[in-house]
Amino acid sequence: MATQVDNTASSGAGRVAPPSFWSGVWQNHAPGYLFLLPWLIGFLGLTIGPILTSFYLSFTHFDLLTAPRWAGLDNYMRMFTNDPKFAASMRVTFVFVIFSVPLKLAFALGVALLLNRGMKGLPLYRALFYLPSLLGASVAIAILWRQMFAGNGLVNQVLANFGIQGPSWISNPNTSLWTLIILAVWQFGSPMIIFLAGLRQIPQDMYEAASLDGASKWRQFWKITLPMLTPVVFFNAIIQTIEAFKSFTPSFIISGGTGGPINSTLFYTLYLYNEAFGFFRMGYASALAWVLLAIVALFTAFSFLSSKYWVHYDD
Amino acid sequence: MSIRLGRRQFLMGSSALAAAAAFGSGPAWAQGATLRQFFWGGQARADRTYAVNDLFTAANGAGVDSSFLGWGDYWPKLATETAGGNAPDIVQMDYRYIVEYAKRNAIAPLDEYVGSALKLDGFDEDQLEGGKVDGQLYGISLGANSVAQLVNLAAFEEAGIEPPNRDTTYDDIRAMGEAFQSANVRGGIRVIADGSGSEPMLDNWLRQKGLALYTADGQLGFDADAAIEWFTLWQGFRNDGICVTAEDQALDTNGPLETTMVVMGKSAMMPSNSNQLVAFQTLMTDALTITNYPRIAEGVGGGHYRKPSMFFSVGGSSANKELAAEYLSFFVNDLEAAKVLGVERGIPCIEATREAVAPDLNAADQIALEFVANLGDLLGPLPPPPPAAAGEIDASLLRVLSQEVAFGARSPEDAGQYFVSEAAAILQRAS
């Protein structure tokens, strides 16, 4: 409104031509844009720029030392027709996502339900359970994990007390990926906090009414808690799935960057990293990155499409 | 309106200030008498290098702006800076990468400075040769080095077995391994690490058979039969408890020295390098030494070679090439600098500096110097620099295949066949 008043005022004076649309925008919003400028420069220069560059590079062969050479669809062709390690890393990543995300969510929900019953020292427990998530992606935790699951590590020492001779978890291709899945599940803190907030939103009178009608706790959980919680489950599932696809640090540290033994912990992102910085195939790595983006986008889109059949909003 | 103008003026004023600040520090960049240096290594190497830089500044007046990273982070950073046209004046270069960098003009040929800014009188001929690409000098070797077997003397003593010497063969290793098993010391420590995934060890074994890892034109220098024999040899060692188990060997991720079999107490020997004895000894209280890799049969030598452990090269886009050449000259010739550097980068390549360094060396350094200087019949010719894809063949083929055999996912025959065909594909793709 103010803009219009200004414009009529200036054209009413009849001396100067009415300002163009853009100068009007500038006159009125200049300070806003100026304050926005640092972010805008960062966004264009550090986010959009690299994204577009990587898209271009994904159609080239680029070894960092010499100028990129146009390669058309070579990189994408190789990925899908002639790269056993691409397939191997894809398999490892999917196993990781398919097992770690549901397990983590189930665990987070279970703990949230326990904490929601109102107990003494609740803030302390919440903080304690959240701690692994804060430390989660750190190098230190991955190193700790490596030591816990080594052949003579803590895990096997505990098992030995029960007379079980555990394998060398992290250096055996049959078990190494599972140690990473357990690590991911252990970092259940952030979905747990969100579940807890969701549980608090469920009206207590529903439970009261249900108990009056004689519904068991178990039945209350399936008929009230879970349906009321589906929006939160949906949110957590999406966030955790994306996180799981992007997972890098644990496998990088635990396998010393090799994805070994025998590529059993070769996460997609680790393979991408090795191609880019280990073997200087920036173009191929860019193509890998775009395929990952497409996969995550597909997964997310599928989740949204399916959500109308199982997510219940208050209506 | 006045407030807006005020803000604008303020913004203009502050950007002018920022510009002034930038110009103010401009002359410091433009002076040109500062060399930028970049190398890989740890703190010990950095301390020695910085001390030499101070000596150079005192003698020459030019400053050296130096930084370092670990091996794994060094190459991506160097490649990125080179791609950005911002390569340092002095770069540490490895035998593995020198051809790649030289062929792309990312490092400069040094021939025009030899004799003037760069004095190389008395420089070991084989070490000079190692820094050449297509007949032109691209890197100055900072020290000679050789692959070597790291030996835990204390473990051998406990087992009551004579440690290996320069005549030890693979058959002797088997006998030692059996003796170790019956001695059963240190929770069943094995005599040797699993060397089947060790590229230097395979290289050494092939050379003794008159073969090579790579030919001069960058092809694989051996066939599937040799590869099968190699995997079979180690499969036998593994099955009979001569070398460590597959699970133990997989703990060694080729990363920090702490994950190696000798440091972890899993084996009494393992493949290593002569210049690493010092680093390993600081990690262990047991007395360590080095010896050569085993011989394939009595009296067969020629597997070893004196490898330039690393080079200094001059950045291809450097504006101070002559000054950088002077720095390299100082680094390898100056006796004070040599005393500071010791043998941390390998054995010095000029007789006079070797003599200057020798008296001050500690026991471990002495062993390394003696070993590299006296290889005798073990010494063979320097192989050609490996092709560009060698790193990938090592990391993603040899090591993975050795694990697949070890964990029973492939037979040695299958692994040998696959190695040769897949290596050819990788070489093809890289060329």
Side-chain angles (χ1 to χ4, degrees), chain A residues 135-136 138-147 183 249-251 253-254:
Chain A
L135 303 170
S138 78
V139 171
I141 290 295
I143 290 174
L144 173 77
W145 216 250
R146 189 181 156 82
Q147 281 172 353
L183 174 61
T249 317
S251 73
I253 301 294
I254 286 173

Side-chain angles (χ1 to χ4, degrees), chain B residues 356-410:
Chain B
V357 164
D360 298 332
L361 294 180
N362 63 30
D365 284 335
Q366 287 282 5
I367 294 172
L369 191 138
E370 289 293 312
F371 176 70
V372 178
N374 300 308
L375 283 167
D377 74 318
L378 297 162
L379 188 68
L382 186 69
E392 186 178 357
I393 292 174
D394 175 22
S396 78
L397 190 59
L398 178 60
R399 249 178 279 160
V400 173
L401 279 179
S402 81
Q403 288 180 340
E404 288 186 335
V405 176
F407 282 106
R410 266 184 210 273

Side-chain angles (χ1 to χ4, degrees), chain B residues 33 35 53-64 322-323 326-327 330:
Chain B
L35 291 169
N53 292 349
D54 290 342
L55 289 173
F56 179 70
T57 303
N60 194 297
V64 184
E322 176 141 17
L323 184 62
E326 267 176 53
Y327 175 88
F330 184 86

Side-chain angles (χ1 to χ4, degrees), chain A residues 44-91:
Chain A
L44 292 175
L46 301 176
T47 308
I48 295 290
I51 286 176
L52 294 178
T53 311
S54 99
F55 187 66
Y56 163 70
L57 287 177
S58 75
F59 297 102
T60 65
H61 295 304
F62 181 41
D63 63 1
L64 284 173
L65 289 179
T66 41
R69 280 179 293 124
W70 184 255
L73 289 172
D74 274 15
N75 289 326
Y76 293 95
M77 297 284 281
R78 185 189 149 204
M79 210 181 297
F80 293 111
T81 58
N82 188 23
D83 186 0
K85 286 187 90 180
F86 168 77
S89 68
M90 203 56 114
R91 206 190 60 239

Side-chain angles (χ1 to χ4, degrees), chain A residues 215-298:
Chain A
S216 67
K217 287 277 172 201
W218 188 240
R219 206 171 152 75
Q220 287 177 25
F221 173 76
W222 285 108
K223 294 293 174 187
I224 302 173
T225 311
L226 208 52
M228 293 294 279
L229 214 53
T230 45
V232 179
V233 173
F234 178 55
F235 173 81
N236 272 337
I238 297 239
I239 297 292
Q240 294 305 323
T241 305
I242 294 174
E243 285 294 311
F245 270 115
K246 281 165 46 188
S247 195
F248 172 79
T249 317
S251 73
F252 181 75
I253 301 294
I254 286 173
S255 72
T258 62
I262 323 186
N263 298 334
S264 60
T265 60
L266 187 71
F267 281 12
Y268 191 85
T269 47
L270 181 59
Y271 177 53
L272 191 161
Y273 172 88
N274 282 339
E275 284 291 308
F277 294 107
F279 308 136
F280 299 117
R281 279 200 283 268
M282 224 15 116
Y284 191 57
S286 298
L288 286 171
W290 278 89
V291 168
L292 178 64
L293 179 78
I295 290 170
V296 173
L298 271 176

Side-chain angles (χ1 to χ4, degrees), chain A:
Chain A
M1 273 311 270
T3 328
Q4 283 174 354
V5 171
D6 273 0
N7 284 347
T8 28
S10 61
S11 55
R15 291 187 171 190
V16 286
S20 73
F21 171 72
W22 286 112
S23 80
V25 166
W26 178 249
Q27 287 279 321
N28 289 293
H29 305 297
Y33 284 113
L34 284 174
F35 277 110
L36 203 60
L37 204 56
W39 179 85
L40 211 57
I41 291 172
F43 178 68
L44 292 175
L46 301 176
T47 308
I48 295 290
I51 286 176
L52 294 178
T53 311
S54 99
F55 187 66
Y56 163 70
L57 287 177
S58 75
F59 297 102
T60 65
H61 295 304
F62 181 41
D63 63 1
L64 284 173
L65 289 179
T66 41
R69 280 179 293 124
W70 184 255
L73 289 172
D74 274 15
N75 289 326
Y76 293 95
M77 297 284 281
R78 185 189 149 204
M79 210 181 297
F80 293 111
T81 58
N82 188 23
D83 186 0
K85 286 187 90 180
F86 168 77
S89 68
M90 203 56 114
R91 206 190 60 239
V92 168
T93 306
F94 269 87
V95 170
F96 178 74
V97 170
I98 286 165
F99 284 98
S100 77
V101 174
L103 281 173
K104 187 188 208 171
L105 292 184
F107 212 71
L109 180 58
V111 175
L113 285 168
L114 284 177
L115 290 184
N116 192 38
R117 296 201 301 197
M119 47 166 68
K120 264 192 183 163
L122 179 62
L124 178 70
Y125 286 114
R126 246 185 350 224
L128 280 180
F129 283 129
Y130 190 57
L131 208 57
S133 288
L134 284 181
L135 303 170
S138 78
V139 171
I141 290 295
I143 290 174
L144 173 77
W145 216 250
R146 189 181 156 82
Q147 281 172 353
M148 274 174 59
F149 281 94
N152 51 4
L154 184 67
V155 172
N156 277 353
Q157 282 171 23
V158 170
L159 287 178
N161 289 338
F162 299 98
I164 301 168
Q165 167 69 48
S168 181
W169 300 91
I170 57 160
S171 64
N172 187 313
N174 298 321
T175 51
S176 53
L177 184 55
W178 289 97
T179 64
L180 294 176
I181 291 174
I182 296 169
L183 174 61
V185 173
W186 178 63
Q187 292 159 356
F188 62 90
S190 73
M192 182 224 22
I193 295 280
I194 297 169
F195 276 134
L196 204 48
L199 289 171
R200 294 288 164 87
Q201 297 295 319
I202 301 174
Q204 281 303 310
D205 46 9
M206 284 191 161
Y207 292 108
E208 281 159 20
S211 358
L212 283 179
D213 288 344
S216 67
K217 287 277 172 201
W218 188 240
R219 206 171 152 75
Q220 287 177 25
F221 173 76
W222 285 108
K223 294 293 174 187
I224 302 173
T225 311
L226 208 52
M228 293 294 279
L229 214 53
T230 45
V232 179
V233 173
F234 178 55
F235 173 81
N236 272 337
I238 297 239
I239 297 292
Q240 294 305 323
T241 305
I242 294 174
E243 285 294 311
F245 270 115
K246 281 165 46 188
S247 195
F248 172 79
T249 317
S251 73
F252 181 75
I253 301 294
I254 286 173
S255 72
T258 62
I262 323 186
N263 298 334
S264 60
T265 60
L266 187 71
F267 281 12
Y268 191 85
T269 47
L270 181 59
Y271 177 53
L272 191 161
Y273 172 88
N274 282 339
E275 284 291 308
F277 294 107
F279 308 136
F280 299 117
R281 279 200 283 268
M282 224 15 116
Y284 191 57
S286 298
L288 286 171
W290 278 89
V291 168
L292 178 64
L293 179 78
I295 290 170
V296 173
L298 271 176
F299 250 71
T300 312
F302 178 74
S303 307
F304 269 96
L305 286 178
S306 73
S307 71
K308 64 179 169 200
Y309 299 109
W310 64 276
V311 177
H312 311 287
Y313 293 97
D314 268 337
D315 46 13

Side-chain angles (χ1 to χ4, degrees), chain B residues 2 101 124 153 167 176 179 190 195 215 230 278 284 316 375 397 423 430:
Chain B
S2 69
Y101 273 76
D124 291 342
L153 288 171
D167 295 322
M176 284 177 191
R190 301 289 168 82
T215 61
W230 172 253
V278 186
M284 296 189 75
L375 283 167
L397 190 59

